[in-house]
Every structure is written in C-alpha cells, then in structure tokens.
Amino acid sequence: MGTDVTELTARAERLRGLHHGTMLVLPNVWDAASATIVAEAGFPAVATASAAISAMLGYPDGEAAPWQEMFAAAGRVARAVPVPTTVDAEAGYGMRPHEFVDQLLETGAVGCNLEDTDHRAGGLTDAGVHAAWLAAVRSAAADAKVPIVINARIDAFLPTSGIPEPERVAETIRRGRLYWAAGVDCLYPIGVRHRHDIATLVTELPGPVNGNTGEDLDLATLAEMGVARVSYGPRYYRAALANLKSSIQETGLNTEKKR
C-alpha cells in the first residue's frame, strides 16, 4: 500500500465527515492538473469522473477502459493533492471485493462511486446481488483497516436502465434502502432532473444523497432540499475541451487572415 494506513484512515474519516453538514461540492477532475486546480480553489475533497478519464485515455465510458489504466490515472490524481480523493470506479470492473479495495487504496484514494449498471449484460444489476457485492466491499475495507467512503450510484433514472419513468422514484428508493443496509455512506440517484423527484428521494432514502445541478436545480436549491453532496461528472472536462476547440479554431482563423 503506497500510503500509510493511519493516513488513509484519517483521510477516509475526513471525507465521510464532509457528507454531514455543509453540502459537499465536488467539481470532478480527470488528471493531476485539474485536481490541483480544484484543491487550490479550496474544495475539501477531489473526485474523479470515469467518463472524463476514459475519454482522456482514448476509450468510451462504461468500463471500456482497462481498470489498470483507470486506477493509474486515479493514483496520479490522489498524489497531486493534499485533500481526500474519491474515485469514480464505475461498476467495479468485475473485480473481487478484496482486490478492488486493495487496488483502490494503492492509488491513495479513500472513496469510490460504485454504480448498479451491468455494463456487460446491459440494464441494471439485480438489486440484491449488487447490495451483496457492496456489503462485501465494505467487509474488505474493514479487513484492510481503512473505512473507505462508498457512494452507491443508483442508475434507475438513466434511460439505459429500462425502468419506466413513472416507476423510477420507487425503484430508486427500493435500491437505495438495500444499498444503505449493505453499509454504504452515500446514495447517488444519477439523472434526476425534477425538483419534486429529488425532494422525495432526500426524504425517503435513509442516508446522505448525492445530487446533480440542472436547469431548475442550482446549488442553492439542492442545499435547501437537503442534498448532502453534488458532483458534476465529465462536465468540466467537456467544457475544457470546448474551450480548447474554440481557441484552436480562433488561432486557425487568425492564421488564415494573415496569409
């Protein structure tokens, strides 16, 4: 393990504590440079975005990138900053719980997102099966003596889930309660766009809720509703690329004008 267990434990407890109190805002990063920018801006933790890292490495999102490359990138992020790092580990890459925890801790990270989409079969993983896997990850973390922070992503609101829209709130609550009982620290119903849905989920889910900003869901609104954590996925990575594209195109236009 690259970092001392005592230090990893302290970082994990610090990250867990950030889910209780002032809303934790996490502008997701994809490399050491972006992580440094976020940490230097005063954010108390850093979170990676799998879609951004996969794209940076030249792979599609959805566990198409080898886990070794994803974890290597996460390690560079964790080493670059003095604050706790949490890794978007997709659905766990088919790894066994103890292997997953050992490799996560080897990066220096102390938290992870784990989603319930089955990227090989398509659709959602059976909720009971996923809850058992999450419980095994929690047990593996206890064996490693580092209480990693598990953010259980619930994908029922995603179109790929196959869940009809009228059933998404109820299915998210059902899954969230199972995952909470398995020992996770935060519940992340990704893709929720309406205030009444997120308000219901904050009320009905048993633990801290990770939300996303949207057209009528700004940070102030999410905080007022009781959302504990907000993440941005690959949004900033895509904005950075859009800015690069615009700048490059402008450079090309200026070059043409000078000819």
Side-chain angles (χ1 to χ4, degrees), residues 19 37 44 101 129 135 138 156 204 227:
H19 291 73
I37 289 170
V101 170
V129 170
R138 172 54 68 209
E204 297 296 331
V227 168

Side-chain angles (χ1 to χ4, degrees), residues 22-256:
T22 304
M23 186 170 69
L24 174 61
V25 179
L26 296 169
N28 298 75
V29 306
W30 56 94
D31 61 8
S34 57
T36 300
I37 289 170
V38 168
E40 288 182 347
F43 290 90
V46 162
T48 69
S50 67
I53 292 179
S54 295
M56 177 190 70
L57 294 172
Y59 298 93
D61 192 21
E63 297 197 340
W67 69 262
Q68 294 91 338
E69 293 192 44
M70 297 294 286
F71 275 48
R76 291 189 288 272
V77 166
R79 290 192 297 272
V81 295
V83 298
T85 297
T86 180
V87 173
D88 181 353
E90 303 186 78
Y93 306 106
M95 300 167 72
R96 294 184 177 182
H98 280 83
E99 179 189 17
F100 174 81
V101 170
D102 289 347
Q103 293 296 334
L104 179 74
L105 294 176
E106 191 65 33
T107 70
V110 293
C112 58
N113 274 20
L114 290 170
E115 61 204 39
D116 58 5
T117 290
D118 185 332
H119 293 289
R120 289 158 185 81
L124 297 182
T125 302
D126 176 84
V129 170
H130 191 64
W133 190 78
L134 291 171
V137 171
R138 172 54 68 209
S139 177
D143 290 344
K145 303 189 185 322
V146 180
I148 64 171
V149 177
I150 304 173
N151 188 32
R153 203 182 90 175
I154 307 167
D155 291 356
F157 274 82
L158 299 181
T160 53
S161 72
I163 305 297
E165 189 168 351
E167 300 174 16
R168 289 174 181 173
V169 170
E171 180 62 12
T172 296
I173 293 169
R174 183 181 79 87
R175 287 174 172 267
R177 289 174 176 172
L178 286 172
Y179 302 163
W180 183 256
V184 306
D185 301 282
C186 188
L187 299 163
Y188 180 13
I190 192 172
V192 182
R193 291 181 169 80
H194 301 297
R195 293 189 186 196
H196 57 85
D197 288 339
I198 195 68
T200 299
L201 293 172
V202 168
T203 300
E204 297 296 331
L205 288 172
V209 171
N210 188 147
N212 302 117
T213 58
E215 288 183 9
D216 63 343
L217 290 171
D218 57 18
L219 288 176
T221 299
L222 291 172
E224 184 179 346
M225 289 181 169
V227 168
R229 164 174 168 164
V230 176
S231 50
Y232 291 81
R235 196 178 308 181
Y236 287 104
Y237 170 76
R238 290 169 179 164
L241 286 188
N243 183 63
L244 174 62
K245 182 177 181 179
S246 176
S247 298
I248 293 298
Q249 289 174 336
E250 183 62 30
T251 300
L253 290 172
N254 289 336
T255 302
E256 288 292 330

